[in-house]
Amino acid sequence: MTKFSKIKLYNTLSRRKEIFKPIKKGFVGIYTCGPTVYWYQHIGNLRSYIFADVLKRVFLYDKYKVKHVINVTDVGHLTSDADEGEDKMEKAVLREHKKAEVIANFYWQEFKNDFKKLNIAEPNIWCKATQHIKEQIKLIKKLEKKGVTYKTSDGIYFDTSKLKDYGKLAKLNKQGLEAGKRIEIGEKKNITDFALWKFSPLMNANGKLLPKRQQEWESPWGVGFPGWHIECSAMSMKYLGEHIDIHTGGIDHIPVHHTNEIAQSETATGKKFVNYWLHGDFLNFKGEKISKSTGGLYTISELQEKGFNPLAFRYLTFITHYRDPLNFSLESLQSAQDAYNRLKNIISELKNDKRISRKYLKQFNSAINDDLDVPKALSILWKLVRDKKAMGKIHTIKEMDKIFGLDLQKKEKINISASIQKLLQERENARKNKNWQKSDELRDKIKSLGYLVEDTPKGQKLKKI
Ligand code: AMP
Ligand code: ZN
């Protein structure tokens, strides 16, 4: 493959596709906002990690050296992204009566299991917020020195009115926000100001006395815990430097979380924080973002219990471009699974002619390098498998699967149940006795149970329908 070809990426900052230029030749640093580990991640969350995985694969395919960092939020993320409500981890502590660290490690491990099932490569670095308290305090001190912080009775806040370009990522209209100010801002000076450090609260918003927090630390400002946004600024700086190539997340992070990360990082360093901001659109359910009230909060394990292959979910996410919303339903997942199985069946029949199709590979490359146009790449793959004249299918598909990560050429190990094995044995006996009618009846019965039987010189072969 050509080295370092032109990769175009849609940058939320400029609202257009740009040709990627690395800070350091041949190297790309990627930071992906990670999970809050108070509960299982749902398939909506996982869509955004599949998108980040494809991004990384595109760079690796192009022979870049990639350093990928994902954080693990195990403190400070309140029930609303805008510093309101209770800490999600502390709520989990009350729900599960366990140590916060035990809860965090459990859901983090579940998340890693999902990565494995979905063929998402683990990052080079996982970093937990609670293991970087020192770095976060240091960064807040730096911001304090720059004169952009102030203290209220519940914490240390970032004064967003001190920045001329606050909200540039989301193109926030601050005047509009201030004019339409209906939300209670309490002691905050501006509606967009956000917490850097929170003092351990004694009471919740309704005046109810709260139990002592499990996770709290000494700081120059008092005992408490870091705000949610500061962890990403501090940890991306530590592992990728002050100026990084790419930062990813879901579109919900644009107006608050990523906007605040930019404010903190750029004020502290005086440098541009991120060159390319990439955001994945939502996985929806009944037309709305998956949520408790809308529904659709499935986990991968729940889909498996319903008989779905996790890679069929990966395939489903490839039907729509990452920047478009994708509606999820069990029916659409079933169609994706059928298509995925059909594709694998066709591929399993191909003969290896030891060649490669430059024509198809070229089309494929230009699709994936055009802002990760995976739906187009998938249609090129289908065209290739259906093209009766095309040569080099096996090796070309092998190359393509480096991006898809769909195990397209991996032979399925079929776990044949005892009852199907019995039917196969009966059919073999019927065939030995030349009882073709019985043999055909048994074939139909096995088919109704979801398997095709083929008679090969080596005996009966099963294939999942
Ligand atoms: P959270 O654990 O809530 O911080 O979310 C983890 C990641 O999933 C973030 O990048 C979110 O933007 C993303 N996300 C949350 N809900 C959805 C959804 N329904 N569809 C796609 N991405 C989502
Ligand atoms: Zn983040």
Side-chain angles (χ1 to χ4, degrees):
M1 270 310 94
T2 52
K3 242 180 154 186
F4 313 140
S5 45
K6 275 185 188 159
I7 297 176
K8 274 189 269 165
L9 299 171
Y10 181 89
N11 191 348
T12 307
L13 204 56
S14 63
R15 300 287 194 277
R16 57 182 177 80
K17 281 188 205 171
E18 294 173 21
I19 292 174
F20 176 78
K21 289 196 194 82
I23 296 169
K24 214 168 96 193
K25 192 166 179 264
F27 174 87
V28 54
I30 306 175
Y31 185 92
T32 295
C33 282
T36 308
V37 281
Y38 68 112
W39 192 241
Y40 301 97
Q41 290 284 295
H42 57 67
I43 49 175
N45 301 133
L46 291 164
R47 182 186 183 201
S48 58
Y49 299 106
I50 295 174
F51 135 62
D53 182 58
V54 171
L55 173 73
K56 184 166 142 182
R57 284 168 183 265
V58 167
F59 280 105
L60 288 172
Y61 190 71
D62 218 25
K63 309 278 192 288
Y64 274 87
K65 199 167 176 303
V66 178
K67 185 170 177 188
H68 188 207
V69 178
I70 303 186
N71 66 301
V72 174
T73 301
D74 56 349
V75 71
H77 193 175
L78 305 189
T79 41
S80 121
D81 286 357
D83 308 322
E84 277 142 31
E86 288 158 53
D87 187 325
K88 292 182 182 186
M89 285 308 299
E90 292 291 321
K91 274 182 89 173
V93 164
L94 299 180
R95 182 186 70 221
E96 300 192 12
H97 307 289
K98 287 186 191 130
K99 281 202 142 155
E101 194 187 346
V102 172
I103 297 171
N105 286 342
F106 175 80
Y107 292 112
W108 181 19
Q109 188 53 50
E110 287 293 311
F111 183 58
K112 287 189 197 170
N113 294 344
D114 288 342
F115 265 38
K116 210 168 187 172
K117 291 176 192 173
L118 290 166
N119 275 350
I120 301 175
E122 286 200 32
N124 305 80
I125 290 171
W126 288 107
C127 42
K128 273 169 116 178
T130 53
Q131 284 171 1
H132 296 80
I133 300 294
K134 252 196 349 237
E135 287 84 348
Q136 295 177 73
I137 291 179
K138 205 168 137 201
L139 189 57
I140 302 170
K141 274 162 87 178
K142 214 167 172 184
L143 293 171
E144 200 174 31
K145 274 210 188 107
K146 302 261 176 182
V148 294
T149 66
Y150 63 91
K151 186 174 171 181
T152 71
S153 60
D154 72 4
I156 303 295
Y157 281 79
F158 190 108
D159 185 348
T160 56
S161 69
K162 300 269 175 169
L163 305 191
K164 272 207 284 307
D165 59 357
Y166 179 82
K168 64 185 171 193
L169 180 71
K171 310 224 178 291
L172 289 181
N173 171 355
K174 269 193 73 195
Q175 260 119 32
L177 279 172
E178 295 291 333
K181 185 155 70 181
R182 276 178 291 120
I183 313 161
E184 184 56 57
I185 69 166
E187 294 170 51
K188 280 200 320 192
K189 291 185 186 167
N190 309 285
I191 196 164
T192 45
D193 293 355
F194 57 91
L196 297 165
W197 187 262
K198 281 266 203 178
F199 304 133
S200 291
L202 297 174
M203 282 177 267
N204 73 7
N206 305 322
K208 199 177 144 232
L209 218 57
L210 287 170
K212 185 175 155 47
R213 282 180 64 91
Q214 250 195 32
Q215 307 200 101
E216 54 184 14
W217 295 265
E218 296 279 350
S219 83
W221 313 281
V223 175
F225 58 98
W228 172 40
H229 319 299
I230 197 79
E231 69 174 83
C232 287
S233 289
M235 295 194 287
S236 64
M237 226 175 260
K238 173 163 179 173
Y239 295 107
L240 292 168
E242 293 180 346
H243 179 201
I244 68 179
D245 292 298
I246 301 178
H247 195 125
T248 78
I251 49 166
D252 51 339
H253 283 345
I254 300 171
V256 181
H257 185 52
H258 289 167
T259 287
N260 294 344
E261 278 185 42
I262 293 176
Q264 296 164 156
S265 299
E266 297 195 348
T267 306
T269 66
K271 292 181 191 156
K272 186 174 188 181
F273 174 35
V274 171
N275 279 351
Y276 303 88
W277 283 93
L278 267 62
H279 292 98
D281 208 317
F282 290 140
L283 185 69
N284 289 334
F285 190 72
K286 295 183 182 155
E288 279 182 59
K289 182 186 171 194
I290 284 178
S291 71
K292 266 195 193 130
S293 49
T294 319
L297 286 167
Y298 297 107
T299 62
I300 287 297
S301 306
E302 282 167 350
L303 294 181
Q304 282 181 296
E305 279 161 27
K306 292 183 185 295
F308 290 108
N309 178 346
L311 292 182
F313 176 70
R314 188 173 168 107
Y315 183 98
L316 174 71
T317 68
F318 291 165
I319 291 170
T320 306
H321 190 264
Y322 78 91
R323 280 194 295 114
D324 290 325
L326 168 62
N327 207 50
F328 177 84
S329 67
L330 291 176
E331 291 73 30
S332 62
L333 182 58
Q334 185 61 56
S335 317
Q337 177 148 303
D338 294 344
Y340 175 60
N341 287 340
R342 229 178 306 128
L343 182 61
K344 280 200 67 161
N345 278 340
I346 301 173
I347 292 172
S348 72
E349 300 289 317
L350 297 174
K351 301 269 174 300
N352 189 354
D353 57 11
K354 302 204 168 65
R355 295 171 66 167
I356 199 149
S357 169
R358 301 262 161 230
K359 181 183 107 181
Y360 277 100
L361 214 48
K362 198 166 164 229
Q363 288 177 20
F364 176 82
N365 269 312
S366 50
I368 55 165
N369 288 345
D370 182 12
D371 192 28
L372 322 179
D373 196 342
V374 182
K376 190 163 177 197
L378 196 58
S379 71
I380 293 165
L381 167 64
W382 271 106
K383 212 168 129 201
L384 170 68
V385 295
R386 286 184 174 135
D387 183 343
K388 291 204 173 68
K389 290 193 196 125
M391 301 294 284
K393 289 184 183 179
I394 294 260
H395 283 292
T396 311
I397 292 167
K398 193 171 170 195
E399 285 300 299
M400 292 178 172
D401 207 22
K402 288 181 182 165
I403 303 295
F404 291 129
L406 285 170
D407 289 348
L408 292 171
Q409 286 161 329
K410 197 165 159 185
K411 297 259 178 300
E412 282 310 321
K413 264 204 205 120
I414 300 179
N415 281 328
I416 310 167
S417 67
S419 57
I420 290 185
Q421 255 168 28
K422 198 164 157 258
L423 293 174
L424 282 173
Q425 188 57 52
E426 277 178 39
R427 189 168 177 272
E428 199 172 307
N429 294 340
R431 288 174 63 78
K432 268 188 198 144
N433 298 328
K434 302 204 176 349
N435 187 347
W436 307 122
Q437 192 188 337
K438 186 160 184 205
S439 159
D440 285 349
E441 279 167 19
L442 286 162
R443 181 205 296 268
D444 290 344
K445 187 148 187 207
I446 294 169
K447 191 174 173 190
S448 72
L449 295 169
Y451 297 93
L452 286 180
V453 192
E454 269 176 27
D455 297 308
T456 72
K458 286 185 190 152
Q460 302 181 91
K461 218 174 101 191
L462 269 196
K463 231 188 218 175
K464 234 177 162 169
I465 297 173

